[in-house]
Amino acid sequence: MAGFDPRLTPARPDLAASHLRGKIEAARFVNGTAQEVIVGQAPVRDAPSHGATMPTEALRGERVTVYETDDEGWAWGQLASDGYVGWLPAAALLAPGPAATHKVAALRTLVFPGPSIKLPPTDALPLGARIALAREEQSFAITAAGGYVPKRHLVPIAGKESDFVAVAERFLGAPYLWGGKTSTGIDCSGLVQVALTACGIVCPRDSDMQEAALGKPVKLTELRRGDLLFWKGHVAIARDNATVIHANAFHMSVAIEPVTDAVGRIKAAGLEVTAVKRVL
């Protein structure tokens, strides 16, 4: 496994993806099966256990290549969106249905079993969830699976936001959650990934990956809206040259604070800014 990032490499000592044959050692190699996330959000865990760490989440409509499903109802696979590897509840997956036609543009929306907001919702879909629509009926869009979603909360799959900082600001106050990617819980790099993805910008999952892949270096003294500030294990988004927004464990939420306060507090904890990257 030397040279391969385990977060992005579907390989274990006992099992690996067939395309890795000859590159790594494993007891056996398998081709994998295409699956799709059918719930609003599904945890992606480090191990097949509800008590295992959740480094990320998969959203409705995401495709997953599954290499193993165990007897306890866990599926081990790789997300097509950002390549992350981990264990998902097998009940959250099914064979892929029709290609997604729309995505959720609201921070969160509800799926109803019929054309009435008085009915108890069957699911909640986060920003960025992808769905296939079959038809429209008054104020609802009806999914291929038969769910009723408010039309005003959806945009065509190719739709793009114009300001990723404004997208991030919509999460203000959302609780901090390690590995989270939705308004019910989100982490620092999840906030960056979700916001950039909404604008059609490809973004890796974790902050170290983002620091390596995104933008060009600039000086902290040249900070402007949309720049990303990186520390080891953390990332924040500049709103302007004086404030940042970030999901952080100090506030335990998505918070806005002065750049000087954030840099000073994190420095006091032993971490210096490692890079400032201009994405746009």
Side-chain angles (χ1 to χ4, degrees):
M1 291 289 289
F4 291 90
D5 188 332
R7 295 171 293 182
L8 304 176
T9 309
R12 311 185 320 232
D14 64 319
L15 179 67
S18 58
H19 69 266
L20 294 172
R21 191 186 300 271
K23 300 177 182 178
I24 64 164
E25 294 184 2
R28 63 190 179 98
F29 295 84
V30 297
N31 290 326
T33 303
Q35 299 273 277
E36 181 178 304
V37 179
I38 59 168
V39 296
Q41 61 199 86
V44 180
R45 300 195 182 277
D46 283 339
S49 166
H50 292 291
T53 300
M54 183 186 76
T56 192
E57 290 182 297
L59 308 184
R60 167 77 174 267
E62 286 202 63
R63 298 296 172 92
V64 185
T65 301
V66 174
Y67 296 100
E68 180 187 48
T69 301
D70 70 12
D71 294 335
E72 301 299 318
W74 291 94
W76 182 71
Q78 183 172 34
L79 304 184
S81 58
D82 58 20
Y84 228 95
V85 174
W87 293 89
L88 296 86
L93 304 172
L94 275 181
T101 60
H102 289 71
K103 60 185 177 182
V104 176
L107 200 59
R108 200 163 190 83
T109 193
L110 299 174
V111 182
F112 299 93
S116 172
I117 59 173
K118 296 181 179 180
L119 295 172
T122 58
D123 202 356
L125 305 181
L127 177 73
R130 301 157 64 92
I131 56 178
L133 297 188
R135 67 185 193 281
E136 296 182 0
E137 183 177 310
Q138 298 180 355
S139 62
F140 288 99
I142 297 89
T143 71
Y148 286 70
V149 182
K151 286 196 299 185
R152 66 176 62 250
H153 288 172
L154 304 175
V155 295
I157 199 69
K160 297 178 182 179
E161 297 277 357
S162 60
D163 183 351
F164 85 90
V165 182
V167 176
E169 289 172 337
R170 288 157 60 184
F171 285 85
L172 185 64
Y176 179 83
L177 174 65
W178 181 273
K181 290 178 58 174
T182 79
S183 61
T184 60
I186 196 164
D187 66 13
C188 65
S189 55
L191 182 66
V192 171
Q193 187 186 48
V194 169
L196 285 174
T197 299
C199 295
I201 300 170
V202 176
C203 179
R205 177 58 178 92
D206 292 342
S207 61
D208 62 322
M209 302 174 184
Q210 294 169 354
E211 181 176 351
L214 297 175
K216 61 180 182 179
V218 295
K219 296 178 181 178
L220 184 59
T221 54
E222 301 171 344
L223 196 67
R224 74 183 190 195
R225 185 176 178 85
D227 290 345
L228 300 178
L229 288 76
F230 290 95
W231 297 259
K232 183 179 180 180
H234 188 60
V235 59
I237 304 168
R239 299 176 64 245
D240 47 41
N241 65 355
T243 61
V244 294
I245 182 169
H246 55 155
N248 67 91
F250 176 79
H251 296 95
M252 282 306 295
S253 68
V254 176
I256 293 172
E257 65 178 320
V259 174
T260 53
D261 287 5
V263 171
R265 185 183 71 254
I266 297 173
K267 182 177 181 179
L271 298 176
E272 299 279 356
V273 174
T274 55
V276 178
K277 304 292 285 291
R278 182 154 295 158
V279 179
L280 303 176

